[in-house]
Amino acid sequence: MALNNTYDARLQQETAVGAGVQLLLLALLGSAIGLGPAGWLTGLAFAFATWAVLSRAVHRSRLRSFGPANRVTLGRATLVGGVTALVGDSFESAPPVTLLVALTAVALLLDGVDGKVARRTGTSSALGARFDMEVDAFLILVLSVYVSTQLGPWVLLIGGMRYAFVAAARVAPWLTAPLPPSFARKTVAAIQGVCLLVAGAELLSRPVNLAVVLLALGSLVWSFGRDVAWLWRNARTPVEAPVEAPVEQPPLLELAAR
């Protein structure tokens, strides 16, 4: 029991350090560009929510070590917190687009790093995969909020689709069934952030940005639609009970790629 408490204390220290780094980034942004009240409030709310949710998750996971891959994801979460503060501040004053694009670009580039680190160090975990997914989803939501101020509220469909799917799963449990691995799904998920970043950078004309974001939305609708159709078909397919009890243990489910 004492050993478990020691591991838990170390994990909580990791999350506390992450929250501290998040506050430091907000302070740097505040001194560099002068964050307004909206920027500070959104940034602090993100930092507190991330610390609270992650602390509870690591306590329940009973991991022995936070791991290098989760540290990379925590670093990405810190950058996403900075992007969140800048987007919140953009409702009061013109945002520093170059800084917003830079933070977003680094966060997107690091998205492929934590998974590789986890596989090479043998530290893949359900917590790490979920943490990675939630950081990605929230970054897409924040970017869609920012781009919606330029192209219209329909862009929010991109950031809100994943959360709508989670909400729908509460009333339709068949949506929670595991999906088979799909390269197409991963590709579609990856291009969402890139397309929103391109549109948010405002380097291209409005019609081109509109086409880029419409492409992202169309591919996302196709990906979600395909997955929902697969889940529906398999939920309606009756599973025949075996005549004899199996002798061998069923194989363990493979964790989704981080």
Side-chain angles (χ1 to χ4, degrees):
M1 181 64 70
L3 187 59
N4 288 335
N5 290 337
T6 300
Y7 286 133
D8 187 67
R10 290 177 180 175
L11 292 174
Q12 297 303 329
Q13 288 175 0
E14 298 262 11
T15 62
V17 169
V21 174
Q22 179 70 83
L23 295 178
L24 177 60
L25 176 59
L26 292 177
L28 291 174
L29 292 176
S31 62
I33 65 172
L35 282 178
W40 275 106
L41 285 174
T42 52
L44 290 173
F46 178 87
F48 177 78
T50 301
W51 169 78
V53 173
L54 187 57
S55 294
R56 178 178 173 81
V58 297
H59 175 71
R60 297 179 64 180
S61 68
R62 300 189 179 278
L63 291 176
R64 288 179 170 250
S65 171
F66 197 66
N70 285 331
R71 293 189 185 101
V72 175
T73 307
L74 186 58
R76 285 203 304 117
T78 300
L79 296 176
V80 172
V83 174
T84 301
L86 292 177
V87 171
D89 198 56
S90 69
F91 288 92
E92 294 183 337
S93 60
V97 178
T98 302
L99 180 58
L100 189 149
V101 169
L103 291 177
T104 303
V106 176
L108 291 174
L109 288 173
L110 288 176
D111 186 25
V113 174
D114 46 11
K116 292 180 180 178
V117 171
R119 289 188 291 273
R120 290 182 179 179
T121 58
T123 55
S124 296
S125 66
L127 170 65
R130 182 64 181 271
F131 186 24
D132 180 51
M133 180 178 63
E134 295 299 340
V135 171
D136 291 342
F138 194 81
L139 176 58
I140 297 303
L141 176 62
V142 171
L143 290 177
S144 67
V145 170
Y146 179 65
V147 176
S148 70
T149 62
Q150 305 167 20
L151 300 180
W154 61 270
V155 182
L156 295 173
L157 292 171
I158 295 177
M161 198 169 300
R162 188 257 173 182
Y163 295 99
F165 181 86
V166 172
R170 292 185 176 273
V171 296
W174 54 271
L175 289 172
T176 61
L179 287 162
S182 170
F183 178 77
R185 186 189 308 118
K186 294 178 181 179
T187 302
V188 169
I191 68 172
Q192 301 305 308
V194 175
C195 290
L196 290 171
L197 177 60
V198 169
E202 301 183 47
L203 296 176
L204 306 175
S205 64
R206 180 183 173 86
V208 175
N209 286 336
L210 181 63
V212 168
V213 178
L214 282 172
L215 173 64
L217 178 59
S219 63
L220 191 62
V221 170
W222 169 81
S223 180
F224 269 96
R226 188 184 67 155
D227 287 344
V228 170
W230 187 91
L231 291 169
W232 173 253
R233 287 195 303 269
N234 283 269
R236 293 174 60 86
T237 302
V239 179
E240 296 182 0
V243 177
E244 297 180 357
V247 177
E248 298 181 354
Q249 294 293 327
L252 294 175
L253 291 176
E254 180 182 2
L255 286 175
R258 289 172 58 93

